[in-house]
mmCIF file with all atom_site columns, all heavy atoms in Angstrom:
data_model
loop_
_atom_site.group_PDB
_atom_site.id
_atom_site.type_symbol
_atom_site.label_atom_id
_atom_site.label_alt_id
_atom_site.label_comp_id
_atom_site.label_asym_id
_atom_site.label_entity_id
_atom_site.label_seq_id
_atom_site.pdbx_PDB_ins_code
_atom_site.Cartn_x
_atom_site.Cartn_y
_atom_site.Cartn_z
_atom_site.occupancy
_atom_site.B_iso_or_equiv
_atom_site.pdbx_formal_charge
_atom_site.auth_seq_id
_atom_site.auth_comp_id
_atom_site.auth_asym_id
_atom_site.auth_atom_id
_atom_site.pdbx_PDB_model_num
ATOM 1   N N   . PHE B 1 223 ? 7.961  -2.003 -0.389 1.00 87.00 ? 223 PHE B N   1
ATOM 2   C CA  . PHE B 1 223 ? 7.388  -0.689 -0.126 1.00 87.00 ? 223 PHE B CA  1
ATOM 3   C C   . PHE B 1 223 ? 5.880  -0.650 -0.380 1.00 87.00 ? 223 PHE B C   1
ATOM 4   O O   . PHE B 1 223 ? 5.220  0.291  0.049  1.00 87.00 ? 223 PHE B O   1
ATOM 5   C CB  . PHE B 1 223 ? 8.108  0.400  -0.940 1.00 87.00 ? 223 PHE B CB  1
ATOM 6   C CG  . PHE B 1 223 ? 7.891  0.313  -2.420 1.00 87.00 ? 223 PHE B CG  1
ATOM 7   C CD1 . PHE B 1 223 ? 6.803  0.946  -3.021 1.00 87.00 ? 223 PHE B CD1 1
ATOM 8   C CD2 . PHE B 1 223 ? 8.770  -0.386 -3.231 1.00 87.00 ? 223 PHE B CD2 1
ATOM 9   C CE1 . PHE B 1 223 ? 6.597  0.874  -4.386 1.00 87.00 ? 223 PHE B CE1 1
ATOM 10  C CE2 . PHE B 1 223 ? 8.567  -0.467 -4.597 1.00 87.00 ? 223 PHE B CE2 1
ATOM 11  C CZ  . PHE B 1 223 ? 7.484  0.160  -5.173 1.00 87.00 ? 223 PHE B CZ  1
ATOM 12  N N   . GLY B 1 224 ? 5.345  -1.672 -1.039 1.00 85.00 ? 224 GLY B N   1
ATOM 13  C CA  . GLY B 1 224 ? 3.897  -1.734 -1.220 1.00 85.00 ? 224 GLY B CA  1
ATOM 14  C C   . GLY B 1 224 ? 3.178  -1.742 0.122  1.00 85.00 ? 224 GLY B C   1
ATOM 15  O O   . GLY B 1 224 ? 2.096  -1.172 0.267  1.00 85.00 ? 224 GLY B O   1
ATOM 16  N N   . LEU B 1 225 ? 3.789  -2.371 1.122  1.00 85.00 ? 225 LEU B N   1
ATOM 17  C CA  . LEU B 1 225 ? 3.188  -2.380 2.466  1.00 85.00 ? 225 LEU B CA  1
ATOM 18  C C   . LEU B 1 225 ? 3.152  -0.974 3.043  1.00 85.00 ? 225 LEU B C   1
ATOM 19  O O   . LEU B 1 225 ? 2.271  -0.631 3.820  1.00 85.00 ? 225 LEU B O   1
ATOM 20  C CB  . LEU B 1 225 ? 3.986  -3.306 3.392  1.00 85.00 ? 225 LEU B CB  1
ATOM 21  C CG  . LEU B 1 225 ? 3.926  -4.792 3.027  1.00 85.00 ? 225 LEU B CG  1
ATOM 22  C CD1 . LEU B 1 225 ? 5.018  -5.565 3.737  1.00 85.00 ? 225 LEU B CD1 1
ATOM 23  C CD2 . LEU B 1 225 ? 2.558  -5.361 3.381  1.00 85.00 ? 225 LEU B CD2 1
ATOM 24  N N   . ARG B 1 226 ? 4.146  -0.174 2.652  1.00 78.00 ? 226 ARG B N   1
ATOM 25  C CA  . ARG B 1 226 ? 4.230  1.204  3.147  1.00 78.00 ? 226 ARG B CA  1
ATOM 26  C C   . ARG B 1 226 ? 3.141  2.080  2.529  1.00 78.00 ? 226 ARG B C   1
ATOM 27  O O   . ARG B 1 226 ? 2.678  3.038  3.139  1.00 78.00 ? 226 ARG B O   1
ATOM 28  C CB  . ARG B 1 226 ? 5.603  1.742  2.706  1.00 78.00 ? 226 ARG B CB  1
ATOM 29  C CG  . ARG B 1 226 ? 6.335  2.566  3.715  1.00 78.00 ? 226 ARG B CG  1
ATOM 30  C CD  . ARG B 1 226 ? 7.701  2.959  3.142  1.00 78.00 ? 226 ARG B CD  1
ATOM 31  N NE  . ARG B 1 226 ? 8.756  2.021  3.482  1.00 78.00 ? 226 ARG B NE  1
ATOM 32  C CZ  . ARG B 1 226 ? 9.879  1.842  2.769  1.00 78.00 ? 226 ARG B CZ  1
ATOM 33  N NH1 . ARG B 1 226 ? 10.090 2.548  1.674  1.00 78.00 ? 226 ARG B NH1 1
ATOM 34  N NH2 . ARG B 1 226 ? 10.773 0.975  3.156  1.00 78.00 ? 226 ARG B NH2 1
ATOM 35  N N   . ARG B 1 227 ? 2.750  1.784  1.288  1.00 83.00 ? 227 ARG B N   1
ATOM 36  C CA  . ARG B 1 227 ? 1.849  2.671  0.550  1.00 83.00 ? 227 ARG B CA  1
ATOM 37  C C   . ARG B 1 227 ? 0.449  2.727  1.149  1.00 83.00 ? 227 ARG B C   1
ATOM 38  O O   . ARG B 1 227 ? -0.309 3.646  0.879  1.00 83.00 ? 227 ARG B O   1
ATOM 39  C CB  . ARG B 1 227 ? 1.781  2.248  -0.916 1.00 83.00 ? 227 ARG B CB  1
ATOM 40  C CG  . ARG B 1 227 ? 3.012  2.540  -1.721 1.00 83.00 ? 227 ARG B CG  1
ATOM 41  C CD  . ARG B 1 227 ? 3.340  4.017  -1.775 1.00 83.00 ? 227 ARG B CD  1
ATOM 42  N NE  . ARG B 1 227 ? 4.746  4.201  -2.068 1.00 83.00 ? 227 ARG B NE  1
ATOM 43  C CZ  . ARG B 1 227 ? 5.684  4.354  -1.159 1.00 83.00 ? 227 ARG B CZ  1
ATOM 44  N NH1 . ARG B 1 227 ? 5.385  4.389  0.113  1.00 83.00 ? 227 ARG B NH1 1
ATOM 45  N NH2 . ARG B 1 227 ? 6.940  4.497  -1.494 1.00 83.00 ? 227 ARG B NH2 1
ATOM 46  N N   . ALA B 1 228 ? 0.084  1.723  1.936  1.00 82.00 ? 228 ALA B N   1
ATOM 47  C CA  . ALA B 1 228 ? -1.211 1.772  2.602  1.00 82.00 ? 228 ALA B CA  1
ATOM 48  C C   . ALA B 1 228 ? -1.154 2.734  3.784  1.00 82.00 ? 228 ALA B C   1
ATOM 49  O O   . ALA B 1 228 ? -2.179 3.173  4.287  1.00 82.00 ? 228 ALA B O   1
ATOM 50  C CB  . ALA B 1 228 ? -1.602 0.377  3.082  1.00 82.00 ? 228 ALA B CB  1
ATOM 51  N N   . ILE B 1 229 ? 0.063  3.046  4.235  1.00 76.00 ? 229 ILE B N   1
ATOM 52  C CA  . ILE B 1 229 ? 0.238  3.909  5.404  1.00 76.00 ? 229 ILE B CA  1
ATOM 53  C C   . ILE B 1 229 ? 0.589  5.317  4.967  1.00 76.00 ? 229 ILE B C   1
ATOM 54  O O   . ILE B 1 229 ? 0.092  6.297  5.486  1.00 76.00 ? 229 ILE B O   1
ATOM 55  C CB  . ILE B 1 229 ? 1.360  3.346  6.306  1.00 76.00 ? 229 ILE B CB  1
ATOM 56  C CG1 . ILE B 1 229 ? 1.134  1.864  6.587  1.00 76.00 ? 229 ILE B CG1 1
ATOM 57  C CG2 . ILE B 1 229 ? 1.448  4.138  7.606  1.00 76.00 ? 229 ILE B CG2 1
ATOM 58  C CD1 . ILE B 1 229 ? 2.320  1.195  7.253  1.00 76.00 ? 229 ILE B CD1 1
ATOM 59  N N   . THR B 1 230 ? 1.479  5.416  4.000  1.00 72.00 ? 230 THR B N   1
ATOM 60  C CA  . THR B 1 230 ? 1.934  6.724  3.543  1.00 72.00 ? 230 THR B CA  1
ATOM 61  C C   . THR B 1 230 ? 2.275  6.652  2.062  1.00 72.00 ? 230 THR B C   1
ATOM 62  O O   . THR B 1 230 ? 2.522  5.583  1.530  1.00 72.00 ? 230 THR B O   1
ATOM 63  C CB  . THR B 1 230 ? 3.153  7.187  4.365  1.00 72.00 ? 230 THR B CB  1
ATOM 64  O OG1 . THR B 1 230 ? 3.835  8.180  3.619  1.00 72.00 ? 230 THR B OG1 1
ATOM 65  C CG2 . THR B 1 230 ? 4.105  6.058  4.633  1.00 72.00 ? 230 THR B CG2 1
ATOM 66  N N   . GLY B 1 231 ? 2.249  7.784  1.401  1.00 71.00 ? 231 GLY B N   1
ATOM 67  C CA  . GLY B 1 231 ? 2.507  7.827  -0.027 1.00 71.00 ? 231 GLY B CA  1
ATOM 68  C C   . GLY B 1 231 ? 3.993  7.850  -0.341 1.00 71.00 ? 231 GLY B C   1
ATOM 69  O O   . GLY B 1 231 ? 4.811  7.440  0.471  1.00 71.00 ? 231 GLY B O   1
ATOM 70  N N   . PRO B 1 232 ? 4.352  8.355  -1.521 1.00 73.00 ? 232 PRO B N   1
ATOM 71  C CA  . PRO B 1 232 ? 5.753  8.305  -1.954 1.00 73.00 ? 232 PRO B CA  1
ATOM 72  C C   . PRO B 1 232 ? 6.680  9.179  -1.128 1.00 73.00 ? 232 PRO B C   1
ATOM 73  O O   . PRO B 1 232 ? 7.891  9.046  -1.241 1.00 73.00 ? 232 PRO B O   1
ATOM 74  C CB  . PRO B 1 232 ? 5.699  8.777  -3.409 1.00 73.00 ? 232 PRO B CB  1
ATOM 75  C CG  . PRO B 1 232 ? 4.399  9.472  -3.556 1.00 73.00 ? 232 PRO B CG  1
ATOM 76  C CD  . PRO B 1 232 ? 3.466  8.890  -2.555 1.00 73.00 ? 232 PRO B CD  1
ATOM 77  N N   . PHE B 1 233 ? 6.147  10.067 -0.318 1.00 70.00 ? 233 PHE B N   1
ATOM 78  C CA  . PHE B 1 233 ? 7.027  10.935 0.459  1.00 70.00 ? 233 PHE B CA  1
ATOM 79  C C   . PHE B 1 233 ? 7.344  10.376 1.840  1.00 70.00 ? 233 PHE B C   1
ATOM 80  O O   . PHE B 1 233 ? 7.813  11.085 2.702  1.00 70.00 ? 233 PHE B O   1
ATOM 81  C CB  . PHE B 1 233 ? 6.421  12.337 0.595  1.00 70.00 ? 233 PHE B CB  1
ATOM 82  C CG  . PHE B 1 233 ? 6.601  13.144 -0.648 1.00 70.00 ? 233 PHE B CG  1
ATOM 83  C CD1 . PHE B 1 233 ? 5.532  13.510 -1.432 1.00 70.00 ? 233 PHE B CD1 1
ATOM 84  C CD2 . PHE B 1 233 ? 7.876  13.521 -1.050 1.00 70.00 ? 233 PHE B CD2 1
ATOM 85  C CE1 . PHE B 1 233 ? 5.706  14.246 -2.591 1.00 70.00 ? 233 PHE B CE1 1
ATOM 86  C CE2 . PHE B 1 233 ? 8.063  14.261 -2.213 1.00 70.00 ? 233 PHE B CE2 1
ATOM 87  C CZ  . PHE B 1 233 ? 6.978  14.622 -2.981 1.00 70.00 ? 233 PHE B CZ  1
ATOM 88  N N   . SER B 1 234 ? 7.054  9.097  2.060  1.00 61.00 ? 234 SER B N   1
ATOM 89  C CA  . SER B 1 234 ? 7.498  8.511  3.317  1.00 61.00 ? 234 SER B CA  1
ATOM 90  C C   . SER B 1 234 ? 9.014  8.585  3.340  1.00 61.00 ? 234 SER B C   1
ATOM 91  O O   . SER B 1 234 ? 9.674  8.384  2.324  1.00 61.00 ? 234 SER B O   1
ATOM 92  C CB  . SER B 1 234 ? 7.095  7.054  3.372  1.00 61.00 ? 234 SER B CB  1
ATOM 93  O OG  . SER B 1 234 ? 7.868  6.306  2.461  1.00 61.00 ? 234 SER B OG  1
ATOM 94  N N   . ILE B 1 235 ? 9.535  8.896  4.472  1.00 51.00 ? 235 ILE B N   1
ATOM 95  C CA  . ILE B 1 235 ? 10.987 8.881  4.609  1.00 51.00 ? 235 ILE B CA  1
ATOM 96  C C   . ILE B 1 235 ? 11.342 7.611  5.330  1.00 51.00 ? 235 ILE B C   1
ATOM 97  O O   . ILE B 1 235 ? 10.819 7.303  6.390  1.00 51.00 ? 235 ILE B O   1
ATOM 98  C CB  . ILE B 1 235 ? 11.467 10.124 5.355  1.00 51.00 ? 235 ILE B CB  1
ATOM 99  C CG1 . ILE B 1 235 ? 11.213 11.323 4.457  1.00 51.00 ? 235 ILE B CG1 1
ATOM 100 C CG2 . ILE B 1 235 ? 12.941 10.013 5.676  1.00 51.00 ? 235 ILE B CG2 1
ATOM 101 C CD1 . ILE B 1 235 ? 11.551 12.614 5.088  1.00 51.00 ? 235 ILE B CD1 1
ATOM 102 N N   . ALA B 1 236 ? 12.221 6.856  4.685  1.00 45.00 ? 236 ALA B N   1
ATOM 103 C CA  . ALA B 1 236 ? 12.456 5.500  5.160  1.00 45.00 ? 236 ALA B CA  1
ATOM 104 C C   . ALA B 1 236 ? 13.002 5.481  6.578  1.00 45.00 ? 236 ALA B C   1
ATOM 105 O O   . ALA B 1 236 ? 12.778 4.544  7.321  1.00 45.00 ? 236 ALA B O   1
ATOM 106 C CB  . ALA B 1 236 ? 13.411 4.802  4.215  1.00 45.00 ? 236 ALA B CB  1
ATOM 107 N N   . GLY B 1 237 ? 13.699 6.481  6.993  1.00 45.00 ? 237 GLY B N   1
ATOM 108 C CA  . GLY B 1 237 ? 14.249 6.474  8.347  1.00 45.00 ? 237 GLY B CA  1
ATOM 109 C C   . GLY B 1 237 ? 15.654 7.038  8.338  1.00 45.00 ? 237 GLY B C   1
ATOM 110 O O   . GLY B 1 237 ? 16.135 7.529  7.326  1.00 45.00 ? 237 GLY B O   1
ATOM 111 N N   . GLY B 1 238 ? 16.292 7.025  9.472  1.00 44.00 ? 238 GLY B N   1
ATOM 112 C CA  . GLY B 1 238 ? 17.670 7.470  9.541  1.00 44.00 ? 238 GLY B CA  1
ATOM 113 C C   . GLY B 1 238 ? 17.810 8.876  10.082 1.00 44.00 ? 238 GLY B C   1
ATOM 114 O O   . GLY B 1 238 ? 18.913 9.344  10.335 1.00 44.00 ? 238 GLY B O   1
ATOM 115 N N   . GLY B 1 239 ? 16.701 9.573  10.264 1.00 49.00 ? 239 GLY B N   1
ATOM 116 C CA  . GLY B 1 239 ? 16.769 10.879 10.914 1.00 49.00 ? 239 GLY B CA  1
ATOM 117 C C   . GLY B 1 239 ? 17.226 11.971 9.970  1.00 49.00 ? 239 GLY B C   1
ATOM 118 O O   . GLY B 1 239 ? 17.619 11.741 8.833  1.00 49.00 ? 239 GLY B O   1
#
Side-chain angles (χ1 to χ4, degrees):
Chain B
F223 68 88
L225 294 164
R226 221 177 268 155
R227 288 299 157 266
I229 310 170
T230 160
F233 282 113
S234 71
I235 292 176

